[in-house]
Amino acid sequence: MIKANDPSLQSWIPVSEHSDFPIQNIPFGVAKTKNGNVFVATRIGDTVIDLFAVAQLDHFQVIDAEVFNSCRLNDFMLLGKQITRKVRDEISDIFNSSNETAKNHEELKLALYDASDVDMLMPVQVGDYTDFYSSEQHAYNVGCMFRDPNNALLPNWKYIPVGYHGRASSIVVSGTPVRRPKGQQKLNPDEPPTFGPSVRLDFELEMAFVTYQGKPLGDSISTTEADDYIFGMCLFNDWSARDLQAWEYVPLGPFLAKNFASSISPWIVTLDALEPFRVPGPVQDPKVFPYLEYHGDKHIDINLEVAIQPEGSSEKVVSRSNYKHMYWNMNQQLAHHTVNGCDINVGDMMASGTISGNDESAYGSMLEISWKGTKPVQMPDGSERRFIHDNDTVIMRGYAEKKGIRVGFGEVSSKVLPTN
Ligand code: MN
């Protein structure tokens, strides 16, 4: 077992009962204080910990303090899985309730901040971003709406973890407002296209994983090796303009409907911290190619929800889904991505695709929830939503829980601003 995952551990930092951040989590992020200090951080309960300051007090055996004197996690991730795992174990030791020396170390307390006193920044310099399409229910729903319920899945879907190369520059951290995109739409089949603000702005409930440095160009990563190349995960809202998408996607796929923004939660929860929550995946029929076969439980049970909060109103939860609903797991996605020799680099981000469960309360986009706009959702203020309105805030949350230990992601929250 990974030492820091021991369910019996407790911290000398207070952790409330339903916190996403017990000492068994120890996620990594980048924080900025009110007076402008930026550092690599972790979080226990509602306390954000400046790891650069902790490292300068010589608490770490395996790492140079300077790696935490950074505005991104990339230098830390470049050290690879063996080192980052040891550092997480060492952080666990420092903040373990039985560590009397650390508990009474006055200088160490200067490294602790209340979460409300720091801003969380983009945790990773994302080099390349790939978006998969790996939830069967989502692919089925979209196929039903736009093609034929009897042939909803395209013939390749159960053979290939379908994906496309997205845009890294517009991935933003939770709290960053998202401007409604403008573009071309063809809303009426009998009329020419029009240009203007998107009228079908949607979220996509996804999770993403962040990679360590991969192998050289020309090499591949197997499903067995994949765990060693995945640093951790975050929540991922893959904003989508459905009207732009429907008109532009033939023949080369998603473009401006997708690249205007994707929002992520600020804490990267390590794959190590998620190990206790592994579950079996679905039976894959037809049998997959040998390079996509895998051993052991590679899916993860993570409860997910999406809420919409109209301006000046309380929020409404519009979806409750789970990451375990994926057909293709991360190991298969990474093996497929590299099977042709494509290389991956430290800080690459790979998103799951919209995660929809079998029940309609578990659909991961407004496209599905409102069934192409035919079934509006009631908001607490009496208004209706088919898609996302200006000044709405969309909030996604996620956590894994087993035997009283909860490891969560916090949230990704973004407000939609009108087109300028
Ligand atoms: Mn997507």
Side-chain angles (χ1 to χ4, degrees):
M1 188 177 71
I2 296 160
K3 211 173 131 203
N5 290 354
D6 182 347
S8 70
L9 295 177
Q10 293 201 311
S11 178
W12 52 265
I13 293 175
V15 178
S16 63
E17 193 185 348
H18 296 295
S19 174
D20 280 348
F21 305 103
I23 195 168
Q24 287 80 7
N25 190 338
I26 312 189
F28 292 92
V30 174
K32 183 181 179 182
T33 63
K34 298 272 189 264
N35 52 20
N37 281 341
V38 174
F39 44 78
V40 171
T42 188
R43 176 171 175 162
I44 296 175
D46 290 328
T47 301
V48 171
I49 301 164
D50 174 352
L51 292 176
F52 179 47
V54 175
Q56 285 175 302
L57 296 170
D58 284 333
H59 278 294
F60 294 112
Q61 317 276 314
V62 294
I63 202 169
D64 176 2
E66 279 303 313
V67 88
F68 291 140
N69 184 19
S70 177
C71 62
R72 297 286 185 259
L73 296 175
N74 296 53
D75 287 348
F76 177 54
M77 294 188 292
L78 259 179
L79 300 173
K81 187 149 208 158
Q82 294 313 314
I83 300 292
T84 60
R85 177 177 288 169
K86 280 195 188 119
V87 168
R88 185 167 163 269
D89 283 345
E90 290 188 345
I91 295 170
S92 175
D93 284 341
I94 298 166
F95 296 98
N96 184 333
S97 56
S98 67
N99 190 334
E100 294 295 331
T101 317
K103 201 191 308 188
N104 297 307
H105 191 313
E106 287 309 314
E107 275 182 279
L108 183 59
K109 288 185 183 149
L110 300 175
L112 311 185
Y113 295 85
D114 192 277
S116 60
D117 288 336
V118 298
D119 290 323
M120 294 307 297
L121 307 185
M122 188 68 192
V124 175
Q125 182 68 43
V126 181
D128 276 304
Y129 155 50
T130 300
D131 193 20
F132 285 94
Y133 190 59
S134 291
S135 150
E136 183 174 1
Q137 188 66 46
H138 173 68
Y140 174 81
N141 289 345
V142 172
C144 285
M145 275 184 264
F146 293 101
R147 286 183 301 272
D148 169 9
N150 295 317
N151 296 291
L153 291 184
L154 287 168
N156 62 3
W157 200 88
K158 290 203 166 177
Y159 289 91
I160 295 175
V162 170
Y164 70 95
H165 286 297
R167 180 91 193 153
S169 67
S170 54
I171 300 178
V172 294
V173 74
S174 178
T176 309
V178 170
R179 183 77 62 185
R180 179 179 298 273
K182 294 176 284 205
Q184 293 190 27
Q185 306 130 10
K186 197 166 189 315
L187 299 173
N188 186 330
D190 305 321
E191 312 236 336
T194 55
F195 177 85
S198 169
V199 294
R200 292 187 175 177
L201 179 60
D202 200 356
F203 58 78
E204 288 188 336
L205 170 62
E206 305 195 21
M207 299 209 62
F209 64 90
V210 180
T211 64
Y212 289 106
Q213 186 60 33
K215 296 183 183 178
L217 182 67
D219 283 0
S220 305
I221 295 170
S222 70
T223 57
T224 305
E225 293 168 322
D227 288 338
D228 291 334
Y229 290 91
I230 299 171
F231 173 65
M233 300 184 74
C234 59
L235 301 167
F236 193 93
N237 179 353
D238 191 25
W239 292 98
S240 300
R242 302 298 180 196
D243 40 358
L244 278 55
Q245 187 176 358
W247 172 231
E248 77 175 3
Y249 87 103
V250 181
L252 287 187
F255 189 28
L256 304 188
K258 299 282 188 175
N259 70 4
F260 61 95
S262 300
S263 306
I264 65 168
S265 54
W267 293 106
I268 308 298
V269 176
T270 63
L271 197 61
D272 281 351
L274 295 166
E275 282 300 329
F277 309 98
R278 294 278 195 187
V279 289
V283 174
Q284 295 185 317
D285 179 23
K287 195 167 161 0
V288 299
F289 281 100
Y291 79 93
L292 291 170
E293 288 174 359
Y294 64 96
H295 304 286
D297 293 347
K298 292 300 171 199
H299 287 63
I300 310 179
D301 184 350
I302 302 170
N303 300 292
L304 300 168
E305 70 171 33
V306 187
I308 299 173
Q309 183 175 24
E311 186 155 66
S313 166
S314 54
E315 67 173 51
K316 160 103 173 208
V317 174
V318 295
S319 177
R320 288 195 171 86
S321 187
N322 193 303
Y323 184 60
K324 72 183 175 189
H325 295 315
M326 303 289 287
Y327 187 83
W328 301 104
N329 59 49
M330 290 181 278
N331 300 57
Q332 294 179 306
Q333 290 170 334
L334 197 51
H336 183 67
H337 203 309
T338 60
V339 74
N340 65 343
C342 174
D343 55 335
I344 59 156
N345 287 299
V346 66
D348 284 356
M349 190 166 273
M350 304 197 183
S352 57
T354 309
I355 304 160
S356 294
N358 297 341
D359 189 273
E360 54 182 51
S361 67
Y363 290 173
S365 65
M366 287 305 288
L367 179 70
E368 295 160 271
I369 294 166
S370 77
W371 206 257
K372 241 171 131 182
T374 60
K375 298 201 291 188
V377 179
Q378 297 294 320
M379 290 291 117
D381 63 2
S383 60
E384 289 184 340
R385 291 294 179 281
R386 291 171 168 82
F387 292 94
I388 302 303
H389 291 191
D390 286 347
N391 303 310
D392 283 354
T393 300
V394 175
I395 307 151
M396 295 177 179
R397 304 185 179 94
Y399 67 93
E401 190 163 29
K402 191 178 177 183
K403 295 182 185 158
I405 301 294
R406 170 174 169 141
V407 170
F409 291 81
E411 62 180 36
V412 51
S413 168
S414 0
K415 182 173 181 174
V416 172
L417 301 181
T419 302
N420 58 8

